Amino acid sequence: MAHIVIIGNGISGVTCARLVRKRSDDEITIISSETEHFYARTALMYIYMGHMKYEHTKPYEDNFWKKNNITLVHQYVEKVDAKNKNVTLKNGNSIQYDKLVLACGSKSNVPDIQGKDLLGIQSLYNYQDLQNMEINTKGVKNAVILGGGLIGIEMAEMLLSRNIHVTMLVREVAYWGGILPEEEAKMIGRHIAEHHIDLLLGSELSEIIGNKSGSVKAVKTKKGETIPCEFVGIAIGVGPNVSFLKDSGIEIDRGVLINDHFETNIPDIFAVGDCAQFKEPPAGRKPIEQVWYTGRMHAETLAKTLLGKRTRYQPGPWFNSAKFLDIEYQTYGDVPVKINEDEKGFYWEHDNRKISFRARYHAATGRLLGVNTFGMRLRHGVLENWILNKQNIEYVLSHLADANFDPEFFRTYEEEIIRKFNKENNTQLKTVKKSWKRLLQILNL
Amino acid sequence: MSASDLSIAQPHPQGADAIQKIGLSLAALGLLVLLVAMAGVTFEQRTLFLSIALGGILVGTVVYASRKYMTQPAGIKNNGVMHKQLTNRGVFGWMIGIFLTGFYVLLYWFPYLFGTGDKTNTGLVALFDPLSNFLNGGKADEYFVYGSVYSLAVLSLGIKFMLKYRNNRYQFTRTLVVILIQLSFAYVIPEILKSLQRPDASFEMDIKNFWPLKFDFFDGDNLNAMRKNGGLGMLFLVAGVLGFTVLAPIITYFTGKRWYCSWVCGCGGLAETAGDSFRQLSSKKLVAWKIERWLIYSVLIFVVIMTAGVLYTYFSGKGEGVSGPLRSAYGFMIGSIFSGVIGVGFYPLMGNRVWCRFGCPMAAYIGLVQRFKSRFRITTNGGQCISCGNCSTYCEQGIDVRWYAQRGQNIVRSSCVGCGICSAVCPRGVLKLENGPEQGRINEDPLLIGLLKQNKD
């Protein structure tokens, strides 16, 4: 019976532990300094806004771990001794392992600017950040968010729920401009304005100004604007949380370097989730994948290896989702801001409802490469199938009803979408009614 | 002061503005009239004061709610739910819980306090005389008052619900239907038909209130009353029997039990409208689920045995010594204490579906149909779940929706009333209530989408 020690109790570490436990009697220990039990950090914002309490964010009841014989250690790991196969904890104890899984997640990036150490400046990634945010935003009237990504908009929504006025400083010329094509970025920009958030595009921070007691008083942009505020939210991304591994002998670049089996340079040490960096990422993927789903998928794959069946990471088509204030976003496949010359794009947007659909496809063959939707839910299994099977754009648009995942009674937009496509491409496509028979086949049920 | 403080459409208001305060005052005025009458004051100008009471509550609630929700962009409005005294078992929550519990105790066991008189009414019941007279030509009694206030709650707080969830057409449609059915089938139509009944043999005429929820349907008195009322009585007798034997299971096969529990039923209607603020208070613990299964099926067995006894006595004339006490025990323990006092009184403490989840034999019965022979399921969307827990938190039936969603499993649970809120609050578009083929409906060993198939077992 081996002892598997997992550092980190986020989605990667916990998924790995659960899946190993399902099929093995190995001793399993999860070490985390963040919280005693696994919680969903995706829900941090909802705790602050009062939609949920911390206890609601825990996917498993507290007795789950004992029942499944998974030992939880609520401690900070100071260092890993790969030679003697043990980890040293902050309280001085050390734990021997046979196999070590590094699932220690990310830490927030900090901008290197004057005033970054003043009181009232913070990021939002872990539970401690949430606790700090409660303290840091008490009595605050004006806040500035630095960065226009997903955490930035979440922080903005959180602050709005406490009636704090928010200014967002975004470097790009459009909201989330690095990821979203222009039309979608503009639509989200309008929605942000509708919520009375001041969105300053193309602006960068030059300095944070403090008052006598060392708290934030204002920020200064590179254009020379001064914006008074008592809170600054930093949302310029996250990076692997690996500094404690510096002298361990484990090969590290930005993250823990791994092959496509999540193996590090040292036998019996693996890394998954945000902290891992592929030496050679799977086709079309980034070396560091920092979303919930990939963390889970890494762990699903590694669990098989730990159970004795050495398995390579083979992700399917990319997918992700988010919510910008009231607008839901889903993406399947790849929809980059700029498309290649041999590709075509199609975009439809509702006149006033903040609903949009975008598809990217191969010009010559019509093969679907990716889809973005806002304000419209799509069925993951159908989109995955279409992309994997190189489905033709004309088929996709006429069978969009099969993919619709909006609640019953919702308005559908398939007709409008196809009309626009027909007009632009001189085609005569017609919508085809949803068929459960086709769905069962596609979803393999 | 920033620009947003001056804007008339400040989308994130804190506290109530002037218009909202006017709305609250109107509703409070209406409530005050009812309380004064309940204290025993018999108004002279009843039509006027009753209009103030009912109109004030209705208009006040709608003014308050539309001001609250229509000034913000449409979306999910759960900010502060866990911080508020009312919605988080705080002082207000307990006060309302005690008030409602007390109201039901008085209604069931001290009805004379409401002012029902043999010849003339006094107090609260007298206040409702004009409305009763208008609908059925007779004077009011405490159950007319109860039905009126109940319908008013469903109407006014139902409109509030529709404004709150105006971004979601499932919620909007469902609530509109439940309000209309409460007002028509449960309130106005029975009151109008009342004048057509023989005064010496009257029966309750809420046609969609089926046995076993309506546990006294097979009471000897009720059966006799229907038999004595000619065509009208026969209609209700046939509808009542076909309702639970044929109609309920067939519709449940096609749509799940939601058609009844959250679109038609009066208890469900109140829970979904007046009780919406309390849905997050239901326990999601495994132990609560265990208690739920023991309790609700015990009640189902109890009502079947009790009714069998009552019918045996009715047809054979024998066994009154057993069936009588059984019937009284059921009426007292389940009919009054469980469904009324606890079922509604505990809204602010245990969530808005205490009765529907732990006690209702109708929910248990069509729940079994839903679980084992139905096209209804909540589909989870591949690998998109982020385990945030909004779905479980806001499930009024205490289903740990997330447990299924995060492993890609469809939710096929007998207790699901299909309110659709899990799907509404999901920030990632993971859940969809739908009716589809039975093939593939139950996927107990699901595969999460994300990895390529060859990467799976």
Side-chain angles (χ1 to χ4, degrees):
Chain A
M1 208 175 71
H3 186 194
I4 299 173
V5 172
I6 300 169
I7 303 179
N9 70 348
I11 179 67
S12 306
V14 160
T15 302
C16 195
R18 274 196 318 108
L19 295 181
V20 171
R21 171 53 72 241
K22 265 190 180 175
R23 306 226 177 126
S24 128
D25 294 327
D26 286 341
E27 195 183 339
I28 301 174
T29 303
I30 304 180
I31 313 172
S32 168
S33 61
E34 187 182 4
T35 50
E36 190 183 351
H37 299 104
F38 170 48
Y39 79 101
R41 69 175 75 261
T42 47
L44 281 174
M45 64 183 291
Y46 299 110
I47 303 176
Y48 184 88
M49 301 200 306
H51 294 209
M52 284 190 255
K53 295 185 196 174
Y54 169 65
E55 66 194 56
H56 296 112
T57 68
K58 291 192 270 191
Y60 303 96
E61 286 185 46
D62 291 351
N63 61 11
F64 172 89
W65 308 101
K66 201 173 175 198
K67 220 157 64 182
N68 287 285
N69 195 19
I70 294 171
T71 309
L72 303 179
V73 177
H74 189 193
Q75 268 293 326
Y76 181 77
V77 176
E78 297 248 280
K79 66 177 215 275
V80 173
D81 182 348
K83 212 158 103 194
N84 296 310
K85 287 194 153 191
N86 70 46
V87 298
T88 309
L89 307 178
K90 200 171 189 176
N91 64 3
N93 292 353
S94 74
I95 298 176
Q96 287 286 327
Y97 65 81
D98 297 305
K99 285 174 185 165
L100 180 68
V101 177
L102 302 169
C104 35
S106 291
K107 62 177 186 226
S108 305
N109 295 338
V110 184
D112 190 20
I113 47 164
Q114 202 184 328
K116 69 178 160 56
D117 297 320
L118 289 165
L119 294 173
I121 305 174
Q122 69 162 106
S123 308
L124 183 71
Y125 175 78
N126 58 31
Y127 190 67
Q128 283 70 34
D129 292 335
L130 178 74
Q131 290 173 314
N132 288 336
M133 196 159 159
E134 277 290 345
I135 298 163
N136 285 336
T137 57
K138 201 159 261 171
V140 166
K141 289 260 181 276
N142 293 288
V144 167
I145 304 286
L146 182 61
L150 298 179
I151 295 182
I153 195 71
E154 286 185 2
M155 279 181 112
E157 188 176 356
M158 291 160 77
L159 294 163
L160 289 183
S161 78
R162 302 277 177 101
N163 211 25
I164 295 169
H165 180 257
V166 178
T167 305
M168 291 182 86
L169 294 186
V170 177
R171 197 175 50 191
E172 288 84 12
V173 291
Y175 177 77
W176 214 25
I179 308 282
L180 295 181
E182 193 186 345
E183 289 91 343
E184 284 99 321
K186 280 189 173 154
M187 182 172 74
I188 296 299
R190 290 199 301 276
H191 185 54
I192 288 174
E194 192 182 11
H195 276 272
H196 293 224
I197 296 170
D198 291 337
L199 180 61
L200 302 187
L201 296 167
S203 37
E204 284 186 73
L205 196 59
S206 77
E207 177 189 353
I208 305 175
I209 304 163
N211 61 16
K212 278 182 204 141
S213 54
S215 303
V216 176
K217 195 174 83 179
V219 300
K220 211 173 188 174
T221 67
K222 285 193 177 162
K223 287 178 189 161
E225 278 177 285
T226 303
I227 305 162
C229 62
E230 308 89 63
F231 177 82
V232 177
I234 305 289
I236 54 169
V238 295
N241 170 32
V242 291
S243 50
F244 72 102
L245 298 169
K246 231 183 294 166
D247 305 319
S248 62
I250 303 169
E251 223 183 318
I252 287 171
D253 176 35
R254 279 193 292 148
V256 180
L257 286 171
I258 49 161
N259 61 16
D260 56 7
H261 289 71
F262 303 99
E263 293 157 340
T264 65
N265 61 315
I266 296 174
D268 293 330
I269 300 185
F270 308 85
V272 281
D274 283 20
C275 72
Q277 179 181 349
F278 291 101
K279 282 187 217 157
E280 287 165 42
R285 297 279 184 146
K286 293 188 176 124
I288 301 176
E289 298 188 314
Q290 297 163 316
V291 294
W292 183 268
Y293 321 98
T294 50
R296 194 198 72 223
M297 282 150 51
H298 291 180
E300 282 171 352
T301 312
L302 175 61
K304 291 201 184 97
T305 301
L306 293 175
L307 287 165
K309 186 182 162 203
R310 197 163 169 269
T311 306
R312 188 157 69 90
Y313 179 53
Q314 287 176 291
W318 174 258
F319 66 97
N320 199 5
S321 62
K323 196 173 180 187
F324 302 96
L325 302 166
D326 300 311
I327 307 181
E328 287 174 25
Y329 157 70
Q330 293 189 339
T331 187
Y332 299 98
D334 298 308
V335 189
V337 177
K338 284 210 167 60
I339 58 174
N340 296 328
E341 269 178 23
D342 59 343
E343 295 164 2
K344 283 177 93 175
F346 166 71
Y347 182 71
W348 168 87
E349 184 181 316
H350 192 277
D351 290 339
N352 48 34
R353 286 210 187 95
K354 287 166 292 192
I355 300 169
S356 74
F357 173 90
R358 178 186 295 277
R360 166 181 164 250
Y361 57 97
H362 196 249
T365 60
R367 169 191 165 191
L368 181 69
L369 299 168
V371 164
N372 269 358
T373 60
F374 283 82
M376 184 193 296
R377 298 175 172 181
L378 295 180
R379 215 177 275 263
H380 188 173
V382 173
L383 266 296
E384 188 197 54
N385 178 284
W386 285 350
I387 292 167
L388 279 179
N389 293 319
K390 309 187 164 101
Q391 199 55 267
N392 186 286
I393 183 72
E394 300 195 350
Y395 177 92
V396 166
L397 290 179
S398 34
H399 292 78
L400 217 46
D402 285 351
N404 186 309
F405 203 69
D406 275 335
E408 297 152 301
F409 299 102
F410 269 45
R411 284 195 185 89
T412 57
Y413 300 97
E414 286 112 26
E415 290 287 347
E416 284 181 47
I417 291 172
I418 215 160
R419 213 178 301 140
K420 179 154 192 245
F421 185 87
N422 280 337
K423 214 170 139 191
E424 289 176 2
N425 296 276
N426 257 327
T427 46
Q428 307 286 320
L429 304 181
K430 286 201 167 65
T431 55
V432 177
K433 268 193 184 156
K434 169 182 171 180
S435 149
W436 270 105
K437 208 173 140 196
R438 271 197 307 271
L439 269 181
L440 291 179
Q441 229 167 26
I442 288 177
L443 302 172
N444 221 345
L445 294 171
Chain B
M1 184 176 276
S2 70
S4 67
D5 293 329
L6 296 168
S7 164
I8 40 168
Q10 215 294 80
H12 304 280
Q14 295 262 308
D17 66 12
I19 298 174
Q20 280 177 299
K21 280 176 189 157
I22 292 172
L24 281 179
S25 310
L26 273 175
L29 182 69
L31 211 57
L32 185 69
V33 171
L34 292 184
L35 287 175
V36 167
M38 204 167 165
V41 173
T42 310
F43 290 100
E44 284 302 318
Q45 293 180 300
R46 288 172 202 173
T47 310
L48 174 69
F49 278 99
L50 184 64
S51 305
I52 293 174
L54 303 185
I57 291 172
L58 177 61
V59 175
T61 312
V62 173
V63 166
Y64 175 83
S66 59
R67 190 66 193 163
K68 177 167 182 184
Y69 298 119
M70 298 308 282
T71 53
Q72 315 177 47
I76 294 305
K77 305 295 170 210
N78 286 329
N79 285 352
V81 165
M82 297 296 166
H83 302 152
K84 285 178 193 151
Q85 293 278 331
L86 176 67
T87 51
N88 186 31
R89 295 192 193 99
V91 176
F92 290 142
W94 278 92
M95 274 167 56
I96 291 191
I98 290 166
F99 176 82
L100 288 172
T101 310
F103 174 81
Y104 275 91
V105 169
L106 296 183
L107 177 72
Y108 289 139
W109 294 293
F110 307 94
Y112 52 87
L113 291 175
F114 288 86
T116 311
D118 286 339
K119 289 213 174 69
T120 50
N121 291 328
T122 56
L124 186 62
V125 176
L127 183 65
F128 280 79
D129 275 342
L131 186 58
S132 176
N133 193 43
F134 173 73
L135 289 173
N136 60 42
K139 65 186 185 65
D141 61 13
E142 71 272 13
Y143 283 101
F144 178 79
V145 173
Y146 175 57
S148 305
V149 173
Y150 194 106
S151 300
L152 179 67
V154 171
L155 174 62
S156 53
L157 294 164
I159 294 173
K160 169 180 171 277
F161 184 100
M162 287 161 70
L163 296 172
K164 179 176 168 187
Y165 290 99
R166 71 182 194 280
N167 63 321
N168 188 309
R169 304 231 310 172
Y170 179 77
Q171 299 305 333
F172 196 89
T173 315
R174 179 174 68 78
T175 308
L176 185 65
V177 169
V178 93
I179 292 173
L180 293 177
I181 288 190
Q182 170 64 29
L183 292 182
S184 56
F185 287 104
Y187 183 61
V188 173
I189 294 173
E191 288 305 330
I192 291 173
L193 289 179
K194 211 185 245 175
S195 51
L196 304 177
Q197 289 196 42
R198 286 171 48 161
D200 61 324
S202 69
F203 60 95
E204 200 221 307
M205 295 197 289
D206 181 351
I207 199 161
K208 47 89 182 153
N209 190 4
F210 298 136
W211 183 91
L213 175 57
K214 183 176 166 48
F215 59 90
D216 52 4
F217 182 79
F218 292 106
D219 279 7
D221 291 347
N222 199 51
L223 293 175
N224 286 337
M226 285 189 277
R227 289 170 66 185
K228 282 183 195 160
N229 270 296
L232 186 68
M234 194 49 76
L235 172 75
F236 276 83
L237 183 60
V238 171
V241 173
L242 287 182
F244 83 88
T245 52
V246 179
L247 197 68
I250 287 182
I251 305 183
T252 303
Y253 169 73
F254 284 106
T255 71
K257 75 188 207 186
R258 55 186 171 149
W259 77 274
Y260 194 79
C261 295
S262 62
W263 287 71
V264 166
C265 176
C267 305
L270 190 72
E272 291 295 338
T273 54
D276 173 58
S277 304
F278 308 113
R279 57 176 62 249
Q280 67 283 355
L281 300 173
S282 59
S283 172
K284 277 78 189 180
K285 291 204 171 122
L286 279 170
V287 62
W289 184 17
K290 202 168 176 181
I291 293 170
E292 165 195 316
R293 281 173 291 174
W294 274 102
L295 264 178
I296 196 163
Y297 296 119
S298 303
V299 173
L300 180 61
I301 292 167
F302 189 2
V303 79
V304 169
I305 293 173
M306 180 275 283
T307 306
V310 165
L311 278 174
Y312 176 77
T313 303
Y314 181 72
F315 287 113
S316 71
K318 287 186 278 191
E320 173 69 31
V322 177
S323 66
L326 260 182
R327 167 65 185 78
S328 313
Y330 189 93
F332 176 74
M333 290 193 317
I334 311 296
S336 303
I337 294 184
F338 205 157
S339 77
V341 179
I342 296 174
V344 178
F346 284 23
Y347 270 16
L349 306 175
M350 289 173 68
N352 54 331
R353 287 277 192 176
V354 180
W355 162 246
C356 314
R357 179 185 182 189
F358 294 103
C360 177
M362 181 72 185
Y365 159 49
I366 53 180
L368 289 171
V369 178
Q370 167 165 290
R371 171 69 184 77
F372 296 106
K373 193 68 192 169
S374 168
R375 291 167 57 85
F376 172 71
R377 88 293 308 270
I378 305 176
T379 306
T380 62
N381 201 10
Q384 291 278 27
C385 177
I386 52 169
S387 300
C388 70
N390 272 295
C391 52
S392 296
T393 304
Y394 287 92
C395 177
E396 54 191 356
Q397 287 286 56
I399 299 171
D400 191 359
V401 183
R402 164 175 56 193
W403 191 84
Y404 301 88
Q406 67 191 359
R407 65 201 296 265
Q409 185 175 349
N410 289 349
I411 295 129
V412 180
R413 280 275 292 267
S414 55
S415 63
C416 174
V417 291
C419 71
I421 293 293
C422 57
S423 162
V425 297
C426 174
R428 293 292 188 273
V430 175
L431 302 159
K432 178 173 167 69
L433 284 71
E434 58 186 351
N435 311 314
E438 289 177 77
Q439 184 191 340
R441 170 177 172 260
I442 296 175
N443 53 341
E444 280 184 345
D445 195 16
L447 285 176
L448 273 166
I449 299 181
L451 297 167
L452 290 180
K453 296 275 183 300
Q454 55 264 39
N455 208 347
K456 312 226 169 200
D457 282 336

